[in-house]
PDB file of all heavy atoms in Angstrom:
ATOM      1  N   ARG A  25     -20.536  12.947  17.006  1.00  0.00           N
ATOM      2  CA  ARG A  25     -21.447  13.176  18.122  1.00  0.00           C
ATOM      3  C   ARG A  25     -22.736  12.397  17.895  1.00  0.00           C
ATOM      4  O   ARG A  25     -23.640  12.860  17.208  1.00  0.00           O
ATOM      5  CB  ARG A  25     -21.790  14.665  18.239  1.00  0.00           C
ATOM      6  CG  ARG A  25     -20.601  15.605  18.319  1.00  0.00           C
ATOM      7  CD  ARG A  25     -21.055  17.057  18.123  1.00  0.00           C
ATOM      8  NE  ARG A  25     -19.919  17.968  18.097  1.00  0.00           N
ATOM      9  CZ  ARG A  25     -19.499  18.645  19.161  1.00  0.00           C
ATOM     10  NH1 ARG A  25     -20.120  18.520  20.309  1.00  0.00           N
ATOM     11  NH2 ARG A  25     -18.459  19.449  19.064  1.00  0.00           N
ATOM     12  N   ASP A  26     -22.822  11.208  18.447  1.00  0.00           N
ATOM     13  CA  ASP A  26     -24.060  10.411  18.394  1.00  0.00           C
ATOM     14  C   ASP A  26     -24.643  10.344  16.978  1.00  0.00           C
ATOM     15  O   ASP A  26     -25.802  10.664  16.747  1.00  0.00           O
ATOM     16  CB  ASP A  26     -25.107  10.982  19.360  1.00  0.00           C
ATOM     17  CG  ASP A  26     -24.662  10.861  20.807  1.00  0.00           C
ATOM     18  OD1 ASP A  26     -23.808   9.999  21.090  1.00  0.00           O
ATOM     19  OD2 ASP A  26     -25.156  11.625  21.650  1.00  0.00           O
ATOM     20  N   VAL A  27     -23.808   9.926  16.035  1.00  0.00           N
ATOM     21  CA  VAL A  27     -24.245   9.852  14.635  1.00  0.00           C
ATOM     22  C   VAL A  27     -25.014   8.550  14.401  1.00  0.00           C
ATOM     23  O   VAL A  27     -24.495   7.455  14.636  1.00  0.00           O
ATOM     24  CB  VAL A  27     -23.043   9.923  13.673  1.00  0.00           C
ATOM     25  CG1 VAL A  27     -23.490   9.668  12.235  1.00  0.00           C
ATOM     26  CG2 VAL A  27     -22.358  11.281  13.798  1.00  0.00           C
ATOM     27  N   SER A  28     -26.249   8.681  13.945  1.00  0.00           N
ATOM     28  CA  SER A  28     -27.079   7.527  13.592  1.00  0.00           C
ATOM     29  C   SER A  28     -27.464   7.642  12.123  1.00  0.00           C
ATOM     30  O   SER A  28     -27.912   8.704  11.677  1.00  0.00           O
ATOM     31  CB  SER A  28     -28.347   7.479  14.450  1.00  0.00           C
ATOM     32  OG  SER A  28     -28.033   7.329  15.821  1.00  0.00           O
ATOM     33  N   LEU A  29     -27.267   6.572  11.398  1.00  0.00           N
ATOM     34  CA  LEU A  29     -27.724   6.535  10.004  1.00  0.00           C
ATOM     35  C   LEU A  29     -27.952   5.087   9.593  1.00  0.00           C
ATOM     36  O   LEU A  29     -27.411   4.166  10.204  1.00  0.00           O
ATOM     37  CB  LEU A  29     -26.752   7.243   9.064  1.00  0.00           C
ATOM     38  CG  LEU A  29     -25.273   6.848   9.052  1.00  0.00           C
ATOM     39  CD1 LEU A  29     -25.045   5.650   8.148  1.00  0.00           C
ATOM     40  CD2 LEU A  29     -24.430   8.027   8.575  1.00  0.00           C
ATOM     41  N   SER A  30     -28.767   4.908   8.582  1.00  0.00           N
ATOM     42  CA  SER A  30     -29.090   3.550   8.123  1.00  0.00           C
ATOM     43  C   SER A  30     -28.946   3.483   6.612  1.00  0.00           C
ATOM     44  O   SER A  30     -29.345   4.398   5.895  1.00  0.00           O
ATOM     45  CB  SER A  30     -30.517   3.179   8.529  1.00  0.00           C
ATOM     46  OG  SER A  30     -31.450   4.107   8.003  1.00  0.00           O
ATOM     47  N   TYR A  37     -25.469   5.529  -1.193  1.00  0.00           N
ATOM     48  CA  TYR A  37     -25.756   6.423  -0.065  1.00  0.00           C
ATOM     49  C   TYR A  37     -24.617   7.424   0.065  1.00  0.00           C
ATOM     50  O   TYR A  37     -23.451   7.035   0.145  1.00  0.00           O
ATOM     51  CB  TYR A  37     -25.887   5.577   1.209  1.00  0.00           C
ATOM     52  CG  TYR A  37     -26.323   6.321   2.450  1.00  0.00           C
ATOM     53  CD1 TYR A  37     -27.636   6.262   2.897  1.00  0.00           C
ATOM     54  CD2 TYR A  37     -25.407   7.057   3.200  1.00  0.00           C
ATOM     55  CE1 TYR A  37     -28.040   6.918   4.044  1.00  0.00           C
ATOM     56  CE2 TYR A  37     -25.795   7.725   4.345  1.00  0.00           C
ATOM     57  CZ  TYR A  37     -27.113   7.654   4.762  1.00  0.00           C
ATOM     58  OH  TYR A  37     -27.500   8.309   5.914  1.00  0.00           O
ATOM     59  N   LEU A  39     -22.506  10.569   1.898  1.00  0.00           N
ATOM     60  CA  LEU A  39     -22.177  11.198   3.176  1.00  0.00           C
ATOM     61  C   LEU A  39     -21.378  12.453   2.864  1.00  0.00           C
ATOM     62  O   LEU A  39     -20.254  12.366   2.359  1.00  0.00           O
ATOM     63  CB  LEU A  39     -21.374  10.230   4.053  1.00  0.00           C
ATOM     64  CG  LEU A  39     -21.103  10.640   5.497  1.00  0.00           C
ATOM     65  CD1 LEU A  39     -22.403  10.817   6.262  1.00  0.00           C
ATOM     66  CD2 LEU A  39     -20.225   9.608   6.185  1.00  0.00           C
ATOM     67  N   ALA A 227     -26.779  11.774   3.702  1.00  0.00           N
ATOM     68  CA  ALA A 227     -26.693  12.293   5.067  1.00  0.00           C
ATOM     69  C   ALA A 227     -25.659  13.406   5.076  1.00  0.00           C
ATOM     70  O   ALA A 227     -24.650  13.336   4.375  1.00  0.00           O
ATOM     71  CB  ALA A 227     -26.303  11.192   6.049  1.00  0.00           C
ATOM     72  N   VAL A 228     -25.925  14.431   5.890  1.00  0.00           N
ATOM     73  CA  VAL A 228     -25.022  15.574   5.984  1.00  0.00           C
ATOM     74  C   VAL A 228     -24.498  15.672   7.416  1.00  0.00           C
ATOM     75  O   VAL A 228     -25.281  15.691   8.369  1.00  0.00           O
ATOM     76  CB  VAL A 228     -25.731  16.885   5.605  1.00  0.00           C
ATOM     77  CG1 VAL A 228     -24.719  18.037   5.571  1.00  0.00           C
ATOM     78  CG2 VAL A 228     -26.430  16.752   4.259  1.00  0.00           C
ATOM     79  N   LEU A 229     -23.176  15.713   7.559  1.00  0.00           N
ATOM     80  CA  LEU A 229     -22.546  15.915   8.858  1.00  0.00           C
ATOM     81  C   LEU A 229     -22.004  17.335   8.945  1.00  0.00           C
ATOM     82  O   LEU A 229     -21.554  17.906   7.957  1.00  0.00           O
ATOM     83  CB  LEU A 229     -21.384  14.936   9.070  1.00  0.00           C
ATOM     84  CG  LEU A 229     -21.679  13.432   9.079  1.00  0.00           C
ATOM     85  CD1 LEU A 229     -20.402  12.661   9.413  1.00  0.00           C
ATOM     86  CD2 LEU A 229     -22.783  13.086  10.059  1.00  0.00           C
ATOM     87  N   ASP A 230     -22.050  17.903  10.151  1.00  0.00           N
ATOM     88  CA  ASP A 230     -21.445  19.204  10.411  1.00  0.00           C
ATOM     89  C   ASP A 230     -20.963  19.207  11.852  1.00  0.00           C
ATOM     90  O   ASP A 230     -21.726  18.886  12.767  1.00  0.00           O
ATOM     91  CB  ASP A 230     -22.462  20.326  10.172  1.00  0.00           C
ATOM     92  CG  ASP A 230     -21.802  21.703  10.156  1.00  0.00           C
ATOM     93  OD1 ASP A 230     -20.601  21.781   9.802  1.00  0.00           O
ATOM     94  OD2 ASP A 230     -22.482  22.686  10.484  1.00  0.00           O
ATOM     95  N   GLY A 232     -19.279  17.043  13.341  1.00  0.00           N
ATOM     96  CA  GLY A 232     -19.397  15.711  13.924  1.00  0.00           C
ATOM     97  C   GLY A 232     -20.807  15.234  14.178  1.00  0.00           C
ATOM     98  O   GLY A 232     -21.005  14.109  14.671  1.00  0.00           O
ATOM     99  N   ALA A 233     -21.811  16.037  13.868  1.00  0.00           N
ATOM    100  CA  ALA A 233     -23.203  15.651  14.109  1.00  0.00           C
ATOM    101  C   ALA A 233     -23.964  15.567  12.793  1.00  0.00           C
ATOM    102  O   ALA A 233     -23.697  16.325  11.850  1.00  0.00           O
ATOM    103  CB  ALA A 233     -23.880  16.660  15.036  1.00  0.00           C
ATOM    104  N   LYS A 234     -24.926  14.655  12.722  1.00  0.00           N
ATOM    105  CA  LYS A 234     -25.775  14.570  11.538  1.00  0.00           C
ATOM    106  C   LYS A 234     -26.842  15.652  11.605  1.00  0.00           C
ATOM    107  O   LYS A 234     -27.583  15.736  12.573  1.00  0.00           O
ATOM    108  CB  LYS A 234     -26.434  13.185  11.448  1.00  0.00           C
ATOM    109  CG  LYS A 234     -27.207  12.964  10.150  1.00  0.00           C
ATOM    110  CD  LYS A 234     -27.883  11.616  10.118  1.00  0.00           C
ATOM    111  CE  LYS A 234     -29.151  11.621  10.962  1.00  0.00           C
ATOM    112  NZ  LYS A 234     -29.880  10.344  10.867  1.00  0.00           N
ATOM    113  N   ILE A 235     -26.915  16.480  10.576  1.00  0.00           N
ATOM    114  CA  ILE A 235     -27.907  17.555  10.567  1.00  0.00           C
ATOM    115  C   ILE A 235     -29.036  17.284   9.587  1.00  0.00           C
ATOM    116  O   ILE A 235     -30.066  17.963   9.628  1.00  0.00           O
ATOM    117  CB  ILE A 235     -27.250  18.925  10.252  1.00  0.00           C
ATOM    118  CG1 ILE A 235     -26.573  18.908   8.875  1.00  0.00           C
ATOM    119  CG2 ILE A 235     -26.263  19.308  11.339  1.00  0.00           C
ATOM    120  CD1 ILE A 235     -26.067  20.287   8.431  1.00  0.00           C
ATOM    121  N   CYS A 236     -28.869  16.288   8.725  1.00  0.00           N
ATOM    122  CA  CYS A 236     -29.919  15.986   7.751  1.00  0.00           C
ATOM    123  C   CYS A 236     -29.672  14.614   7.142  1.00  0.00           C
ATOM    124  O   CYS A 236     -28.517  14.203   6.974  1.00  0.00           O
ATOM    125  CB  CYS A 236     -29.939  17.051   6.655  1.00  0.00           C
ATOM    126  SG  CYS A 236     -31.286  16.892   5.456  1.00  0.00           S
ATOM    127  N   GLU A 237     -30.740  13.896   6.812  1.00  0.00           N
ATOM    128  CA  GLU A 237     -30.656  12.627   6.092  1.00  0.00           C
ATOM    129  C   GLU A 237     -31.941  12.456   5.301  1.00  0.00           C
ATOM    130  O   GLU A 237     -33.025  12.362   5.881  1.00  0.00           O
ATOM    131  CB  GLU A 237     -30.469  11.455   7.062  1.00  0.00           C
ATOM    132  CG  GLU A 237     -30.374  10.087   6.358  1.00  0.00           C
ATOM    133  CD  GLU A 237     -30.343   8.931   7.352  1.00  0.00           C
ATOM    134  OE1 GLU A 237     -31.032   9.004   8.391  1.00  0.00           O
ATOM    135  OE2 GLU A 237     -29.646   7.949   7.074  1.00  0.00           O
ATOM    136  N   ARG A 248     -30.427  24.024   7.130  1.00  0.00           N
ATOM    137  CA  ARG A 248     -29.225  23.689   7.905  1.00  0.00           C
ATOM    138  C   ARG A 248     -28.081  23.286   6.974  1.00  0.00           C
ATOM    139  O   ARG A 248     -26.912  23.599   7.231  1.00  0.00           O
ATOM    140  CB  ARG A 248     -29.534  22.553   8.885  1.00  0.00           C
ATOM    141  CG  ARG A 248     -30.555  22.910   9.958  1.00  0.00           C
ATOM    142  CD  ARG A 248     -31.085  21.668  10.624  1.00  0.00           C
ATOM    143  NE  ARG A 248     -31.752  20.778   9.666  1.00  0.00           N
ATOM    144  CZ  ARG A 248     -32.253  19.590   9.979  1.00  0.00           C
ATOM    145  NH1 ARG A 248     -32.148  19.133  11.214  1.00  0.00           N
ATOM    146  NH2 ARG A 248     -32.840  18.857   9.056  1.00  0.00           N
TER     147      ARG A 248
END
Side-chain angles (χ1 to χ4, degrees):
R25 306 168 184 264
D26 295 338
V27 173
S28 298
L29 54 84
S30 58
Y37 186 101
L39 188 61
V228 186
L229 298 184
D230 192 28
K234 187 182 78 176
I235 60 172
C236 185
E237 180 186 37
R248 296 164 300 177

